[in-house]
Amino acid sequence: MLISRTPTFKLAALEGEQFDIVVIGGGIIGAGIARDSALRGLRVALFEKRDFGSGTTAGSTRLIHGGLRYLEMLDFSLVRMDLRERETLLRIAPHLVKPLEFIMPFYHSSLFYRCKMKIGMTLYDLLSYDKSLPRHRFLAPGEIKKIEPNLQQQGLQGAAVYFDAQAASPERLCLENIIDAYEHGAQTFNYTEVTEALRSSEAIDGVRVRDLLSDDGAEVSVKSRVVINASGAWFDHVAGGLTNRSSAATLAHAQIRTTKGVHITCPPITNRAVVVFSPVDGRLMFVIPWLGYSLNGTTDTDFTDDPATAHATSEDVDYMLRSVTEYFPTLDTARIYFSNAGVRALVKEEGSASSVSRRHRIEDGARSGPKNLISVLGGKITGYRAIAEEVVDAVCAKLDVNVPCSTSSNPLPGARRGIKPSDASGAGLKNETIAHLVNLYGSRAGEVLQLTASCERLREALSLYAPDVAAQVVFAARTEQCARLVDFLLRRTLLGFSQDQGLNAATRAASLLAQELGWSAARTSAELSLYQDHIAMTQAFRHGVSDLPPTCLPPDGPG
Ligand SMILES: Cc1cc2nc3c(=O)[nH]c(=O)nc-3n(C[C@H](O)[C@H](O)[C@H](O)COP(=O)(O)OP(=O)(O)OC[C@H]3O[C@@H](n4cnc5c(N)ncnc54)[C@H](O)[C@@H]3O)c2cc1C
């Protein structure tokens, strides 16, 4: 075949295998750790309970930013780290992370407020002294009206304009870390749950892992010199399992605070990202251009249920509308397409949810728990690479390995080379489709184009609402560890965010996946109904439904 298939990782083959590092959790942070360790030549296995990037990584606001808000909290080192990482990501993943212009309008006329804005913007520029993005500037009300006509003009005094960046698909950013990891020798598994630790006296020597897609939930024991808990919002639950704590003891030892944030999408109301302050409680909110919509977010409320069940309720949406319509009066519930929600894992602190620091913490079990266990608490997508570097440095120190980190200078797989016009010749696709593929896969689009060039059937469109083609399903199944229909629609492509949320593409994609992955008719229909459950979750705010099934849970077996 033209494209190179992902090595087929077999969980059963790991029984008794010895790794240097086992990573629990395939969100952006776990994926970054797996990539960094593999690039340093360590033997690494990563286990993800659902799909890569399907946890909080998929529920984020999708910004790669220093965070002006954290300046207000005087957290300069966090802002500096994230601004430096923003620049790194623009360099190593330019197809996934793109500059985004922001405007922050102000309605106060006081000199104090204007000075505060000027100082904040100047500091933000100073902390990103090595950036490639333009510096801030200020606009007068007349200029703002021209560029953002939908913004409330009454009382408008001016606006600050500055740049940050956006990852339209942090899910794919996560996946490209996984791909780079396995291309450098890591073994990466989705739909595998770490259930407990293998222990010898005070140390953890490995983990028990359950295969969630096998008929019988087969389990294996995998040995490792170091185990990393990078399970994000599930951290305390996983830590409890690794240390054999009861639920009550797990709760008493909780190290993270979990808070929910929701987003709503509506027709585009701005031309650039706009920062506003909620009239309800003064919190900072974003209205961001994303895939042709406006993405509005977010809330910040304590959430202690299973993070997989988080969704926007009618109360969340009501709060969002009250916060945003003050500035964009045309927005109403009828104009919301869908919602999504994520659960933050914040290093535990008292106080209001919004005031809790977004800093990460890395804990070495040698000091505070079982030996050989390293815990990653908190952190943002923006800083994931630096957090991973810090974790792998700690692992290397433990294992007496002296190889420096190289993830900031090595581009991610889709940015390794440019795409040449000859890659597209003979692919039989419209220019618009080719541009879409390059936007999604970077230079890896060349492999999809080879597939479409080889077979006319693979050029067929999957949906009336998006330019995606059948070859992408084959590509996802063969090279991107796509195991389920939800993986394809939400995390290998952006189809699930198209106008009909991917419904038009779902049946065709499911039947192509069935051919590639050998699904029975029963399994194929289970995959379709699981996708319907996901859609219901994103629409739950319309009915106030609160007891929906969690998205992405596997059916009883492959059928
Ligand atoms: C509303 C909201 C908005 C945000 N906006 C931004 C933003 O704009 N920019 C930014 O930089 N950051 C943002 N963040 C923060 C960012 O999304 C998170 O910090 C980041 O995604 C965390 O990644 P992670 O890998 O730690 O967690 P996750 O992505 O949740 O990954 C953890 C993984 O562990 C897996 N797991 C759990 N238990 C097990 C087990 N037993 N075995 C195996 N696997 C297991 C889970 O399935 C999950 O996939 C936002 C967060 C929220 C909630």
Side-chain angles (χ1 to χ4, degrees):
M1 191 62 223
L2 294 158
I3 57 170
S4 48
R5 282 173 184 263
T6 307
T8 324
F9 300 125
K10 293 263 180 259
L11 191 65
L14 296 195
E15 182 67 49
E17 279 277 308
Q18 172 80 49
F19 288 90
D20 294 320
I21 308 189
V22 155
V23 183
I24 308 172
I28 190 82
I29 293 181
I33 295 169
R35 173 180 188 237
D36 190 329
S37 337
L39 259 68
R40 296 198 213 197
L42 297 169
R43 286 207 71 203
V44 53
L46 176 143
F47 302 107
E48 162 53 48
K49 185 162 102 172
R50 302 188 298 162
D51 186 28
F52 309 119
S54 63
T56 305
T57 299
S60 71
T61 312
R62 300 161 187 268
L63 295 177
I64 302 299
H65 64 157
L68 272 177
R69 203 166 77 74
Y70 314 126
L71 268 189
E72 226 178 352
M73 295 158 94
L74 305 179
D75 208 339
F76 300 131
S77 60
L78 173 69
V79 177
R80 169 61 198 145
M81 176 182 99
D82 285 343
L83 288 173
R84 190 194 66 217
E85 288 305 309
R86 181 188 72 185
E87 198 60 30
T88 305
L89 290 174
L90 285 166
R91 193 174 62 242
I92 66 168
H95 57 304
L96 295 169
V97 176
K98 311 224 159 117
L100 182 65
E101 191 175 12
F102 282 70
I103 83 165
M104 188 191 262
F106 51 94
Y107 294 83
H108 288 268
S109 56
S110 81
L111 188 62
F112 171 75
Y113 191 80
R114 282 163 187 261
C115 286
K116 191 173 144 189
M117 285 279 280
K118 182 70 195 161
I119 292 169
M121 288 292 150
T122 306
L123 260 176
Y124 209 57
D125 277 340
L126 285 174
L127 289 168
S128 52
Y129 57 86
D130 45 0
K131 68 180 164 193
S132 55
L133 300 175
R135 294 169 69 84
H136 82 270
R137 65 185 201 280
F138 282 91
L139 293 180
E143 294 172 282
I144 306 166
K145 188 169 185 181
K146 277 192 215 135
I147 62 171
E148 292 300 345
N150 291 330
L151 181 67
Q152 177 63 268
Q153 305 292 321
Q154 205 181 355
L156 188 60
Q157 303 291 319
V161 180
Y162 68 99
F163 274 82
D164 257 319
Q166 180 182 41
S169 174
E171 297 88 341
R172 284 205 62 88
L173 183 63
C174 177
L175 183 72
E176 288 219 10
N177 279 271
I178 294 285
I179 293 171
D180 208 26
Y182 70 62
E183 285 183 355
H184 287 86
Q187 300 214 33
T188 51
F189 296 84
N190 46 1
Y191 298 103
T192 52
E193 179 180 16
V194 170
T195 53
E196 58 183 318
L198 307 177
R199 303 285 299 253
S200 68
S201 63
E202 293 305 298
I204 287 187
D205 294 333
V207 289
R208 288 282 292 167
V209 189
R210 183 183 297 146
D211 185 345
L212 295 179
L213 285 183
S214 73
D215 282 329
D216 54 356
E219 290 204 9
V220 294
S221 296
V222 182
K223 293 198 200 128
S224 183
R225 296 166 79 191
V226 180
V227 173
I228 317 273
N229 181 355
S231 56
W234 290 263
F235 178 88
D236 286 324
H237 181 75
V238 171
L242 294 176
T243 47
N244 286 333
R245 282 192 188 122
S246 65
S247 309
T250 298
L251 205 62
H253 282 85
Q255 294 193 71
I256 57 162
R257 178 164 172 186
T258 42
T259 73
K260 183 178 81 168
V262 312
H263 304 93
I264 50 176
T265 50
C266 65
I269 45 179
T270 68
N271 297 312
R272 49 190 60 61
V274 178
V275 182
V276 294
F277 292 89
S278 167
V280 181
D281 54 10
R283 287 186 55 255
L284 185 148
M285 320 277 293
F286 292 110
V287 179
I288 302 169
W290 175 63
L291 308 178
Y293 307 108
S294 277
L295 178 75
N296 308 279
T298 172
T299 59
D300 201 351
T301 48
D302 283 305
F303 185 82
T304 48
D305 293 344
D306 178 356
T309 63
H311 62 274
T313 62
S314 50
E315 291 78 25
D316 295 326
V317 171
D318 184 52
Y319 165 83
M320 285 299 309
L321 286 174
R322 283 193 294 140
S323 298
V324 176
T325 47
E326 176 92 358
Y327 302 94
F328 296 98
T330 50
L331 183 63
D332 64 50
T333 326
R335 283 160 59 86
I336 298 173
Y337 291 128
F338 54 87
S339 67
N340 85 334
V343 178
R344 301 174 187 84
L346 308 171
V347 179
K348 200 163 182 201
E349 257 179 44
E350 298 303 322
S352 77
S354 289
S355 68
V356 177
S357 165
R358 266 48 177 172
R359 275 178 169 277
H360 69 281
R361 194 162 81 208
I362 293 167
E363 287 204 346
D364 187 339
R367 284 195 297 275
S368 54
K371 278 192 195 136
N372 306 341
L373 175 66
I374 292 184
S375 304
V376 190
L377 300 128
K380 287 163 61 191
I381 291 178
T382 309
Y384 88 88
R385 194 212 58 80
I387 298 171
E389 177 175 350
E390 203 179 323
V391 171
V392 183
D393 280 350
V395 173
C396 285
K398 261 180 185 303
L399 302 184
D400 211 11
V401 170
N402 193 9
V403 184
C405 173
S406 61
T407 51
S408 67
S409 50
N410 275 313
L412 283 167
R416 282 195 200 132
R417 64 177 188 94
I419 194 119
K420 299 187 290 289
S422 57
D423 290 332
S425 66
L429 298 177
K430 288 190 207 141
N431 287 343
E432 178 211 357
T433 309
I434 294 171
H436 173 71
L437 296 178
V438 172
N439 204 28
L440 202 57
Y441 303 109
S443 56
R444 295 178 75 248
E447 294 185 53
V448 181
L449 297 176
Q450 283 183 38
L451 284 171
T452 60
S454 73
C455 172
E456 200 174 337
R457 201 176 49 91
L458 295 180
R459 290 174 212 157
E460 285 168 15
L462 286 174
S463 165
L464 293 172
Y465 303 104
D468 301 75
V469 291
Q472 291 172 255
V473 183
V474 175
F475 184 67
R478 293 185 191 173
T479 76
E480 299 199 318
Q481 294 192 263
C482 176
R484 316 203 60 157
L485 180 63
V486 280
D487 304 346
F488 179 73
L489 294 171
L490 297 173
R491 292 176 289 275
R492 302 304 179 277
T493 64
L494 297 165
L495 274 160
F497 307 118
S498 58
Q499 215 177 317
D500 70 336
Q501 291 192 263
L503 280 175
N504 200 254
T507 311
R508 175 93 179 104
S511 95
L512 284 163
L513 279 174
Q515 279 170 39
E516 283 293 316
L517 301 174
W519 291 346
S520 65
R523 167 74 189 265
T524 310
S525 93
E527 291 290 328
L528 282 162
S529 62
L530 187 79
Y531 191 63
Q532 294 283 357
D533 291 347
H534 159 78
I535 304 249
M537 190 118 118
T538 68
Q539 299 290 338
F541 66 89
R542 295 190 199 284
H543 322 288
V545 180
S546 60
D547 53 352
L548 283 160
T551 186
C552 303
L553 286 184
D556 294 331

